[in-house]
Amino acid sequence: MLEKYDSVNVTTTGSSQKGTFVKLENGESGWIYKTYLPKGVNAICTVLYIKKDGFVILSLDSVKYQAA
């Protein structure tokens, strides 16, 4: 069960004018506000808020790159 301030691994699934949609490791969907990443990027985020329907609002901490 996710809680506020948990650190999670995500993969981006799409974006809009206001942010990026992501899929969490547990299969749930989430949103990173005011962050624009291409589809398929792996990242580490912090949980800011969990809506009643389970939708997660996140903040971006780091992008995981395959090679430095």
Side-chain angles (χ1 to χ4, degrees):
M1 182 80 180
L2 285 177
E3 294 183 12
K4 190 173 183 176
Y5 302 123
D6 280 351
S7 182
V8 294
N9 292 308
V10 301
T11 302
T12 59
T13 58
S15 61
S16 74
Q17 293 179 346
K18 295 187 179 186
T20 301
F21 291 98
V22 297
K23 186 170 193 173
L24 285 68
E25 287 181 323
N26 61 7
E28 294 180 16
S29 296
W31 174 256
I32 309 172
Y33 183 67
K34 290 188 179 179
T35 301
Y36 310 99
L37 297 170
K39 185 177 180 180
V41 172
N42 294 320
I44 300 171
C45 296
T46 298
V47 176
L48 295 179
Y49 183 75
I50 304 170
K51 293 186 174 187
K52 290 181 182 181
D53 63 359
F55 193 78
V56 182
I57 307 299
L58 305 159
S59 68
L60 179 67
D61 294 333
S62 180
V63 174
K64 297 195 285 185
Y65 289 101
Q66 296 298 325

